[in-house]
Amino acid sequence: MAKQEDLFKNVVSHAKEYGFIFPSSEIYDGLSAVYDYAQNGVELKKNIREYWWKSMVQMHENIVGLDAAILMHPTTWKASGHVDAFNDPLIDNKDSKKRYRADVLIEDYAEKLNIKAQKEIEKAKSRFGDAFNEQEFITTNPRVVEYLSKKNEILARMAKSLDAGDLDDVKLLIEELELACPDSGSRNWTEVRQFNLMFGTKLGASADTAMDLYLRPETAQGIFVNFLNVQKTGRMKIPFGIAQTGKAFRNEIVARQFIFRMREFEQMEMQFFVKPGEEMKWYHYWKETRLKWHNSLGLGAENYRFHDHEKLAHYANAAADIEFNFPFGFKELEGIHSRTDFDLKAHEQFSGKKLQYFDTEENKNYVPYVVETSVGLDRMFLAVFSKSLQEETLEDGSTRTVLRLPSVLAPTKAAVLPLVKKDGLPEIAKEIMEELKWDFNVAYDEKDAVGRRYRRQDALGTPFCITVDHQTVEDKTVTIRHRDTMLQERVAITDLKNIIEKEVSVRNWLMKM
Ligand code: GAP
């Protein structure tokens, strides 16, 4: 556990030290769960977005893009159910004035019981060695049985109360468990209340006429309300998809774990409109296709798993998460949902406008069913960044920090380095950079010894370092060093573009799908 925490701390500090992510408005002590992407972060984020967009829009002739506005007519959120049901149960501590998610306080307590049980199991494992029968121990050891059954009992009661909307019982449970405010230790709690996660704002100048709006909590609704506009103007035939990337906002009560759960974040969503009755076929298709997309990045198939939802939202008839092995364990990275015709029907009802498709093969109108894929861009960033950050011990016993980013996503594809700052080498290096920058993001660096410059580029995730030395002046060749193997080869300057292109082209990476 301590190791995982250290790894996560390294991720956060590396992201800051190397210009990937800064806390928002840091000079004013930051803003909780809001982050800024710095000079390298913005490139990595853009490359992830582009990798997604190309695989969705460019590679599918039946998927088109959209960039709907963040601000939408407020009835949108009534129709989608967000006004009434996009809630978290919150509780305030009257002494510390701190606000918590009631369910998270209870879950944290249940997790402590689980950890106690796991500790007993570990102790017994080391005591009994090979003769240890873990399953038998879990079901017979009185202490483990007590911890685990208490944990299950608490979680079951909380789920029942939340499902029934019985917030008084959630408060009672917190009191019975004697849960104290993690900040002050006080047990002086308010009632539990539902808290809507949408950020409100106003449209219009004068107080009397201003209209209450929300910042969108998901990009999907922009797609639903434009469904017919896109279908008609794009002459789209079912099945077809609309893809969109953009900011979403949620007033998360418990926002932690760096960019995993933010208040302002970016989603990459695609709604796939299908004939009713065919949704399960497409749901399975998109589940597999999305997992293949993740795997194409080469971070290791063992780091992904599906979590099929047993309890479904009222509008879904199937749903699964693709979970990723983050530094704090497996957590949701992407959701794939079969949303039925819930959203389009709701918008029909609230707007009074028909949102139907005329199927020429069947000669009838219907409201299509929708299969949605929804991945957080910031979570993708965290997944890629945290898995790529590695400390290596080299053959000579020294260590190096290397950010083994998939090269297609790397912010800078190559750094051009003159071996020394004289003898005409910087001029040649700059000429090479001027030529390569038409095709790739490249950097130039002449400061410090070349070994240190290599290490800096390793830490930034740059796949190639191109070194201009005295031989370059004679025969127009350079050395090209590969980030992952650290191997260097001598190549002609005229070959550089092809070598880099082969390694970083979206085509070559997406072909792995
Ligand atoms: N349109 C469906 C939808 O929004 P969701 O499961 O609430 O579904 C989809 O969100 C994805 O958006 C998640 O899998 C996650 O990657 C990302 N996401 C959700 N809330 C987030 C937050 N507060 N911070 C960062 N990413 C978030």
Side-chain angles (χ1 to χ4, degrees), residues 202 258 283 291 378 400 468 481 486 496 499 509-510:
K202 293 212 180 273
F258 193 36
Y283 169 70
L291 186 62
D378 313 87
R400 76 159 178 158
V468 173
R481 174 185 178 272
M486 296 193 295
L496 285 172
I499 295 171
W509 284 82
L510 280 181

Side-chain angles (χ1 to χ4, degrees), residues 218 250 252 260 262 265 267 269 332-333 372 374 376:
E218 62 170 13
R250 296 182 189 177
E252 303 278 2
F260 181 80
M262 302 158 88
F265 58 100
Q267 289 186 314
E269 299 201 297
E332 176 185 342
L333 172 62
E372 165 185 77
S374 176

Side-chain angles (χ1 to χ4, degrees), residues 86 217-220 250 252 259-263 265-267 269 271 315 321 332-335 337 339 372 374-379:
F86 196 51
E218 62 170 13
T219 57
R250 296 182 189 177
E252 303 278 2
I259 55 169
F260 181 80
R261 196 176 302 285
M262 302 158 88
R263 296 203 163 99
F265 58 100
E266 194 164 335
Q267 289 186 314
E269 299 201 297
Q271 314 292 322
Y315 54 78
D321 297 334
E332 176 185 342
L333 172 62
E334 168 153 9
H337 313 120
R339 295 180 73 127
E372 165 185 77
S374 176
V375 56
L377 176 50
D378 313 87
R379 274 192 202 176

Side-chain angles (χ1 to χ4, degrees), residues 26 101 138 218 260 285 319 333:
E26 197 184 8
R101 261 175 69 171
I138 289 173
E218 62 170 13
F260 181 80
Y285 170 83
L333 172 62

Side-chain angles (χ1 to χ4, degrees), residues 29 50 52 64 107 129 177 217 302 328 404 470 475 494 509:
D29 296 332
E50 203 171 286
W52 181 88
V64 292
E107 276 166 6
L177 297 174
E302 70 284 2
F328 35 82
R404 289 173 178 272
H470 292 97
D475 64 5
T494 47
W509 284 82

Side-chain angles (χ1 to χ4, degrees), residues 355-391:
L355 291 175
Q356 301 194 358
Y357 172 76
F358 180 70
D359 192 322
T360 46
E361 279 164 28
E362 303 218 352
N363 202 26
K364 68 171 187 193
N365 281 307
Y366 55 76
V367 177
Y369 271 44
V370 173
V371 175
E372 165 185 77
T373 73
S374 176
V375 56
L377 176 50
D378 313 87
R379 274 192 202 176
M380 261 311 288
F381 187 112
L382 184 58
V384 169
F385 192 86
S386 59
K387 215 35 93 186
S388 301
L389 185 60
Q390 294 173 11
E391 286 288 328

